[in-house]
Amino acid sequence: MMLYTFLSGMLVTLFFVAALFFLRFWARSRDPLFLSFACTFCLLGLGQSLLALGRFAVEERSWVYLVRLAAFLLILAAIYGKNRGRSSR
């Protein structure tokens, strides 16, 4: 259990570093796709930290799984919005 907690903490840190990385790109370009990716990585980090701290027996059956689902839906919406903007030009 100790190794799982340690690796989860490391994964959460990497999620938030990736979010900061995309926030930097968003600050330069003001492209909403980068902001969406930053929010997605924050959601993934939040979900992983809740999983590590909550000690859920079955990950797929807990409500925390909905946080991960929201993150992936945000990615899909951002990609759809980016491609929709290109096709209208």
PDB file of all heavy atoms in Angstrom, residues 54-79:
ATOM      1  N   GLY A  54      -8.671   8.304  -0.769  1.00  0.00           N
ATOM      2  CA  GLY A  54      -9.971   7.757  -0.421  1.00  0.00           C
ATOM      3  C   GLY A  54      -9.972   6.283  -0.134  1.00  0.00           C
ATOM      4  O   GLY A  54     -10.843   5.779   0.552  1.00  0.00           O
ATOM      5  N   ARG A  55      -8.984   5.573  -0.644  1.00  0.00           N
ATOM      6  CA  ARG A  55      -8.866   4.118  -0.440  1.00  0.00           C
ATOM      7  C   ARG A  55     -10.149   3.394  -0.847  1.00  0.00           C
ATOM      8  O   ARG A  55     -10.771   2.695  -0.054  1.00  0.00           O
ATOM      9  CB  ARG A  55      -8.489   3.796   0.985  1.00  0.00           C
ATOM     10  CG  ARG A  55      -7.215   4.465   1.414  1.00  0.00           C
ATOM     11  CD  ARG A  55      -6.711   3.931   2.705  1.00  0.00           C
ATOM     12  NE  ARG A  55      -5.621   4.718   3.241  1.00  0.00           N
ATOM     13  CZ  ARG A  55      -4.373   4.630   2.848  1.00  0.00           C
ATOM     14  NH1 ARG A  55      -4.060   3.794   1.905  1.00  0.00           N
ATOM     15  NH2 ARG A  55      -3.437   5.381   3.392  1.00  0.00           N
ATOM     16  N   PHE A  56     -10.530   3.592  -2.097  1.00  0.00           N
ATOM     17  CA  PHE A  56     -11.708   2.917  -2.624  1.00  0.00           C
ATOM     18  C   PHE A  56     -11.356   1.481  -2.979  1.00  0.00           C
ATOM     19  O   PHE A  56     -10.270   1.203  -3.499  1.00  0.00           O
ATOM     20  CB  PHE A  56     -12.218   3.646  -3.868  1.00  0.00           C
ATOM     21  CG  PHE A  56     -12.696   5.025  -3.576  1.00  0.00           C
ATOM     22  CD1 PHE A  56     -11.889   6.120  -3.815  1.00  0.00           C
ATOM     23  CD2 PHE A  56     -13.953   5.227  -3.040  1.00  0.00           C
ATOM     24  CE1 PHE A  56     -12.327   7.395  -3.539  1.00  0.00           C
ATOM     25  CE2 PHE A  56     -14.405   6.499  -2.758  1.00  0.00           C
ATOM     26  CZ  PHE A  56     -13.588   7.582  -3.007  1.00  0.00           C
ATOM     27  N   ALA A  57     -12.275   0.578  -2.711  1.00  0.00           N
ATOM     28  CA  ALA A  57     -12.012  -0.839  -2.954  1.00  0.00           C
ATOM     29  C   ALA A  57     -11.946  -1.141  -4.448  1.00  0.00           C
ATOM     30  O   ALA A  57     -11.021  -1.801  -4.921  1.00  0.00           O
ATOM     31  CB  ALA A  57     -13.085  -1.683  -2.283  1.00  0.00           C
ATOM     32  N   VAL A  58     -12.925  -0.657  -5.191  1.00  0.00           N
ATOM     33  CA  VAL A  58     -12.957  -0.884  -6.631  1.00  0.00           C
ATOM     34  C   VAL A  58     -13.013   0.478  -7.307  1.00  0.00           C
ATOM     35  O   VAL A  58     -13.991   1.221  -7.168  1.00  0.00           O
ATOM     36  CB  VAL A  58     -14.182  -1.735  -7.034  1.00  0.00           C
ATOM     37  CG1 VAL A  58     -14.197  -1.952  -8.528  1.00  0.00           C
ATOM     38  CG2 VAL A  58     -14.163  -3.058  -6.302  1.00  0.00           C
ATOM     39  N   GLU A  59     -11.945   0.794  -8.023  1.00  0.00           N
ATOM     40  CA  GLU A  59     -11.814   2.126  -8.604  1.00  0.00           C
ATOM     41  C   GLU A  59     -12.913   2.415  -9.615  1.00  0.00           C
ATOM     42  O   GLU A  59     -13.473   3.501  -9.644  1.00  0.00           O
ATOM     43  CB  GLU A  59     -10.450   2.234  -9.261  1.00  0.00           C
ATOM     44  CG  GLU A  59     -10.206   3.520  -9.999  1.00  0.00           C
ATOM     45  CD  GLU A  59      -8.862   3.519 -10.688  1.00  0.00           C
ATOM     46  OE1 GLU A  59      -7.963   2.804 -10.244  1.00  0.00           O
ATOM     47  OE2 GLU A  59      -8.734   4.230 -11.685  1.00  0.00           O
ATOM     48  N   GLU A  60     -13.240   1.429 -10.439  1.00  0.00           N
ATOM     49  CA  GLU A  60     -14.191   1.649 -11.525  1.00  0.00           C
ATOM     50  C   GLU A  60     -15.624   1.834 -11.030  1.00  0.00           C
ATOM     51  O   GLU A  60     -16.461   2.344 -11.751  1.00  0.00           O
ATOM     52  CB  GLU A  60     -14.158   0.488 -12.515  1.00  0.00           C
ATOM     53  CG  GLU A  60     -12.855   0.358 -13.255  1.00  0.00           C
ATOM     54  CD  GLU A  60     -11.790  -0.373 -12.454  1.00  0.00           C
ATOM     55  OE1 GLU A  60     -12.136  -1.092 -11.502  1.00  0.00           O
ATOM     56  OE2 GLU A  60     -10.616  -0.198 -12.755  1.00  0.00           O
ATOM     57  N   ARG A  61     -15.897   1.442  -9.823  1.00  0.00           N
ATOM     58  CA  ARG A  61     -17.263   1.545  -9.307  1.00  0.00           C
ATOM     59  C   ARG A  61     -17.455   2.734  -8.378  1.00  0.00           C
ATOM     60  O   ARG A  61     -18.507   2.889  -7.785  1.00  0.00           O
ATOM     61  CB  ARG A  61     -17.631   0.266  -8.565  1.00  0.00           C
ATOM     62  CG  ARG A  61     -17.725  -0.904  -9.483  1.00  0.00           C
ATOM     63  CD  ARG A  61     -18.189  -2.109  -8.748  1.00  0.00           C
ATOM     64  NE  ARG A  61     -18.171  -3.253  -9.643  1.00  0.00           N
ATOM     65  CZ  ARG A  61     -18.309  -4.487  -9.246  1.00  0.00           C
ATOM     66  NH1 ARG A  61     -18.492  -4.758  -7.987  1.00  0.00           N
ATOM     67  NH2 ARG A  61     -18.269  -5.469 -10.110  1.00  0.00           N
ATOM     68  N   SER A  62     -16.460   3.557  -8.207  1.00  0.00           N
ATOM     69  CA  SER A  62     -16.596   4.691  -7.298  1.00  0.00           C
ATOM     70  C   SER A  62     -16.965   5.948  -8.083  1.00  0.00           C
ATOM     71  O   SER A  62     -16.808   6.029  -9.297  1.00  0.00           O
ATOM     72  CB  SER A  62     -15.287   4.914  -6.542  1.00  0.00           C
ATOM     73  OG  SER A  62     -14.282   5.304  -7.442  1.00  0.00           O
ATOM     74  N   TRP A  63     -17.441   6.950  -7.373  1.00  0.00           N
ATOM     75  CA  TRP A  63     -17.831   8.213  -8.012  1.00  0.00           C
ATOM     76  C   TRP A  63     -16.607   8.985  -8.501  1.00  0.00           C
ATOM     77  O   TRP A  63     -16.744   9.894  -9.321  1.00  0.00           O
ATOM     78  CB  TRP A  63     -18.645   9.063  -7.041  1.00  0.00           C
ATOM     79  CG  TRP A  63     -17.908   9.369  -5.767  1.00  0.00           C
ATOM     80  CD1 TRP A  63     -17.906   8.651  -4.619  1.00  0.00           C
ATOM     81  CD2 TRP A  63     -17.030  10.474  -5.540  1.00  0.00           C
ATOM     82  NE1 TRP A  63     -17.087   9.222  -3.693  1.00  0.00           N
ATOM     83  CE2 TRP A  63     -16.538  10.351  -4.226  1.00  0.00           C
ATOM     84  CE3 TRP A  63     -16.605  11.542  -6.310  1.00  0.00           C
ATOM     85  CZ2 TRP A  63     -15.650  11.267  -3.675  1.00  0.00           C
ATOM     86  CZ3 TRP A  63     -15.723  12.453  -5.765  1.00  0.00           C
ATOM     87  CH2 TRP A  63     -15.256  12.303  -4.450  1.00  0.00           C
ATOM     88  N   VAL A  64     -15.438   8.649  -8.022  1.00  0.00           N
ATOM     89  CA  VAL A  64     -14.218   9.336  -8.456  1.00  0.00           C
ATOM     90  C   VAL A  64     -13.948   9.064  -9.933  1.00  0.00           C
ATOM     91  O   VAL A  64     -13.345   9.887 -10.623  1.00  0.00           O
ATOM     92  CB  VAL A  64     -13.030   8.900  -7.580  1.00  0.00           C
ATOM     93  CG1 VAL A  64     -11.753   9.561  -8.015  1.00  0.00           C
ATOM     94  CG2 VAL A  64     -13.313   9.205  -6.133  1.00  0.00           C
ATOM     95  N   TYR A  65     -14.447   7.954 -10.385  1.00  0.00           N
ATOM     96  CA  TYR A  65     -14.269   7.630 -11.800  1.00  0.00           C
ATOM     97  C   TYR A  65     -14.936   8.677 -12.690  1.00  0.00           C
ATOM     98  O   TYR A  65     -14.493   8.913 -13.818  1.00  0.00           O
ATOM     99  CB  TYR A  65     -14.859   6.250 -12.080  1.00  0.00           C
ATOM    100  CG  TYR A  65     -14.474   5.673 -13.401  1.00  0.00           C
ATOM    101  CD1 TYR A  65     -13.193   5.199 -13.624  1.00  0.00           C
ATOM    102  CD2 TYR A  65     -15.382   5.609 -14.441  1.00  0.00           C
ATOM    103  CE1 TYR A  65     -12.832   4.671 -14.830  1.00  0.00           C
ATOM    104  CE2 TYR A  65     -15.030   5.076 -15.662  1.00  0.00           C
ATOM    105  CZ  TYR A  65     -13.756   4.614 -15.842  1.00  0.00           C
ATOM    106  OH  TYR A  65     -13.397   4.094 -17.055  1.00  0.00           O
ATOM    107  N   LEU A  66     -15.974   9.327 -12.196  1.00  0.00           N
ATOM    108  CA  LEU A  66     -16.650  10.371 -12.967  1.00  0.00           C
ATOM    109  C   LEU A  66     -15.749  11.590 -13.192  1.00  0.00           C
ATOM    110  O   LEU A  66     -15.887  12.284 -14.193  1.00  0.00           O
ATOM    111  CB  LEU A  66     -17.947  10.786 -12.273  1.00  0.00           C
ATOM    112  CG  LEU A  66     -19.014   9.700 -12.200  1.00  0.00           C
ATOM    113  CD1 LEU A  66     -20.202  10.192 -11.389  1.00  0.00           C
ATOM    114  CD2 LEU A  66     -19.448   9.281 -13.583  1.00  0.00           C
ATOM    115  N   VAL A  67     -14.830  11.832 -12.265  1.00  0.00           N
ATOM    116  CA  VAL A  67     -13.878  12.942 -12.446  1.00  0.00           C
ATOM    117  C   VAL A  67     -12.988  12.646 -13.646  1.00  0.00           C
ATOM    118  O   VAL A  67     -12.736  13.523 -14.487  1.00  0.00           O
ATOM    119  CB  VAL A  67     -13.043  13.161 -11.169  1.00  0.00           C
ATOM    120  CG1 VAL A  67     -11.977  14.213 -11.389  1.00  0.00           C
ATOM    121  CG2 VAL A  67     -13.933  13.539 -10.000  1.00  0.00           C
ATOM    122  N   ARG A  68     -12.534  11.415 -13.739  1.00  0.00           N
ATOM    123  CA  ARG A  68     -11.704  11.018 -14.877  1.00  0.00           C
ATOM    124  C   ARG A  68     -12.499  11.084 -16.182  1.00  0.00           C
ATOM    125  O   ARG A  68     -11.986  11.525 -17.213  1.00  0.00           O
ATOM    126  CB  ARG A  68     -11.162   9.618 -14.667  1.00  0.00           C
ATOM    127  CG  ARG A  68     -10.132   9.222 -15.693  1.00  0.00           C
ATOM    128  CD  ARG A  68      -9.558   7.873 -15.441  1.00  0.00           C
ATOM    129  NE  ARG A  68      -8.879   7.838 -14.146  1.00  0.00           N
ATOM    130  CZ  ARG A  68      -8.477   6.731 -13.555  1.00  0.00           C
ATOM    131  NH1 ARG A  68      -8.690   5.574 -14.121  1.00  0.00           N
ATOM    132  NH2 ARG A  68      -7.872   6.773 -12.405  1.00  0.00           N
ATOM    133  N   LEU A  69     -13.750  10.659 -16.124  1.00  0.00           N
ATOM    134  CA  LEU A  69     -14.611  10.730 -17.307  1.00  0.00           C
ATOM    135  C   LEU A  69     -14.805  12.178 -17.750  1.00  0.00           C
ATOM    136  O   LEU A  69     -14.740  12.480 -18.944  1.00  0.00           O
ATOM    137  CB  LEU A  69     -15.964  10.071 -17.010  1.00  0.00           C
ATOM    138  CG  LEU A  69     -16.981  10.113 -18.136  1.00  0.00           C
ATOM    139  CD1 LEU A  69     -16.514   9.273 -19.316  1.00  0.00           C
ATOM    140  CD2 LEU A  69     -18.332   9.617 -17.630  1.00  0.00           C
ATOM    141  N   ALA A  70     -14.997  13.082 -16.788  1.00  0.00           N
ATOM    142  CA  ALA A  70     -15.153  14.503 -17.119  1.00  0.00           C
ATOM    143  C   ALA A  70     -13.892  15.046 -17.783  1.00  0.00           C
ATOM    144  O   ALA A  70     -13.973  15.859 -18.717  1.00  0.00           O
ATOM    145  CB  ALA A  70     -15.486  15.299 -15.869  1.00  0.00           C
ATOM    146  N   ALA A  71     -12.729  14.587 -17.325  1.00  0.00           N
ATOM    147  CA  ALA A  71     -11.472  15.046 -17.922  1.00  0.00           C
ATOM    148  C   ALA A  71     -11.376  14.609 -19.381  1.00  0.00           C
ATOM    149  O   ALA A  71     -11.009  15.407 -20.256  1.00  0.00           O
ATOM    150  CB  ALA A  71     -10.284  14.502 -17.128  1.00  0.00           C
ATOM    151  N   PHE A  72     -11.736  13.371 -19.652  1.00  0.00           N
ATOM    152  CA  PHE A  72     -11.645  12.896 -21.036  1.00  0.00           C
ATOM    153  C   PHE A  72     -12.709  13.541 -21.916  1.00  0.00           C
ATOM    154  O   PHE A  72     -12.459  13.816 -23.096  1.00  0.00           O
ATOM    155  CB  PHE A  72     -11.737  11.379 -21.091  1.00  0.00           C
ATOM    156  CG  PHE A  72     -10.507  10.703 -20.570  1.00  0.00           C
ATOM    157  CD1 PHE A  72     -10.567   9.865 -19.479  1.00  0.00           C
ATOM    158  CD2 PHE A  72      -9.275  10.929 -21.148  1.00  0.00           C
ATOM    159  CE1 PHE A  72      -9.438   9.257 -18.984  1.00  0.00           C
ATOM    160  CE2 PHE A  72      -8.127  10.328 -20.667  1.00  0.00           C
ATOM    161  CZ  PHE A  72      -8.212   9.496 -19.574  1.00  0.00           C
ATOM    162  N   LEU A  73     -13.875  13.809 -21.359  1.00  0.00           N
ATOM    163  CA  LEU A  73     -14.896  14.516 -22.138  1.00  0.00           C
ATOM    164  C   LEU A  73     -14.464  15.948 -22.438  1.00  0.00           C
ATOM    165  O   LEU A  73     -14.777  16.485 -23.509  1.00  0.00           O
ATOM    166  CB  LEU A  73     -16.233  14.499 -21.399  1.00  0.00           C
ATOM    167  CG  LEU A  73     -16.926  13.148 -21.339  1.00  0.00           C
ATOM    168  CD1 LEU A  73     -18.207  13.250 -20.504  1.00  0.00           C
ATOM    169  CD2 LEU A  73     -17.256  12.640 -22.730  1.00  0.00           C
ATOM    170  N   LEU A  74     -13.736  16.552 -21.520  1.00  0.00           N
ATOM    171  CA  LEU A  74     -13.214  17.899 -21.754  1.00  0.00           C
ATOM    172  C   LEU A  74     -12.211  17.903 -22.895  1.00  0.00           C
ATOM    173  O   LEU A  74     -12.207  18.817 -23.733  1.00  0.00           O
ATOM    174  CB  LEU A  74     -12.588  18.441 -20.471  1.00  0.00           C
ATOM    175  CG  LEU A  74     -12.090  19.870 -20.504  1.00  0.00           C
ATOM    176  CD1 LEU A  74     -13.234  20.828 -20.794  1.00  0.00           C
ATOM    177  CD2 LEU A  74     -11.441  20.226 -19.183  1.00  0.00           C
ATOM    178  N   ILE A  75     -11.376  16.878 -22.970  1.00  0.00           N
ATOM    179  CA  ILE A  75     -10.425  16.767 -24.082  1.00  0.00           C
ATOM    180  C   ILE A  75     -11.175  16.627 -25.403  1.00  0.00           C
ATOM    181  O   ILE A  75     -10.860  17.309 -26.394  1.00  0.00           O
ATOM    182  CB  ILE A  75      -9.481  15.566 -23.885  1.00  0.00           C
ATOM    183  CG1 ILE A  75      -8.486  15.841 -22.775  1.00  0.00           C
ATOM    184  CG2 ILE A  75      -8.722  15.262 -25.176  1.00  0.00           C
ATOM    185  CD1 ILE A  75      -7.630  14.657 -22.441  1.00  0.00           C
ATOM    186  N   LEU A  76     -12.185  15.761 -25.406  1.00  0.00           N
ATOM    187  CA  LEU A  76     -12.948  15.559 -26.640  1.00  0.00           C
ATOM    188  C   LEU A  76     -13.658  16.843 -27.070  1.00  0.00           C
ATOM    189  O   LEU A  76     -13.683  17.182 -28.263  1.00  0.00           O
ATOM    190  CB  LEU A  76     -13.959  14.432 -26.453  1.00  0.00           C
ATOM    191  CG  LEU A  76     -13.382  13.034 -26.359  1.00  0.00           C
ATOM    192  CD1 LEU A  76     -14.486  12.028 -26.071  1.00  0.00           C
ATOM    193  CD2 LEU A  76     -12.663  12.672 -27.644  1.00  0.00           C
ATOM    194  N   ALA A  77     -14.224  17.561 -26.107  1.00  0.00           N
ATOM    195  CA  ALA A  77     -14.904  18.821 -26.439  1.00  0.00           C
ATOM    196  C   ALA A  77     -13.923  19.858 -26.962  1.00  0.00           C
ATOM    197  O   ALA A  77     -14.236  20.605 -27.901  1.00  0.00           O
ATOM    198  CB  ALA A  77     -15.639  19.346 -25.212  1.00  0.00           C
ATOM    199  N   ALA A  78     -12.737  19.915 -26.379  1.00  0.00           N
ATOM    200  CA  ALA A  78     -11.740  20.885 -26.828  1.00  0.00           C
ATOM    201  C   ALA A  78     -11.268  20.566 -28.243  1.00  0.00           C
ATOM    202  O   ALA A  78     -11.128  21.472 -29.078  1.00  0.00           O
ATOM    203  CB  ALA A  78     -10.555  20.899 -25.870  1.00  0.00           C
ATOM    204  N   ILE A  79     -11.055  19.302 -28.538  1.00  0.00           N
ATOM    205  CA  ILE A  79     -10.623  18.921 -29.885  1.00  0.00           C
ATOM    206  C   ILE A  79     -11.737  19.189 -30.889  1.00  0.00           C
ATOM    207  O   ILE A  79     -11.490  19.701 -31.983  1.00  0.00           O
ATOM    208  CB  ILE A  79     -10.185  17.436 -29.896  1.00  0.00           C
ATOM    209  CG1 ILE A  79      -8.898  17.273 -29.110  1.00  0.00           C
ATOM    210  CG2 ILE A  79     -10.003  16.934 -31.318  1.00  0.00           C
ATOM    211  CD1 ILE A  79      -8.488  15.846 -28.894  1.00  0.00           C
TER     212      ILE A  79
END
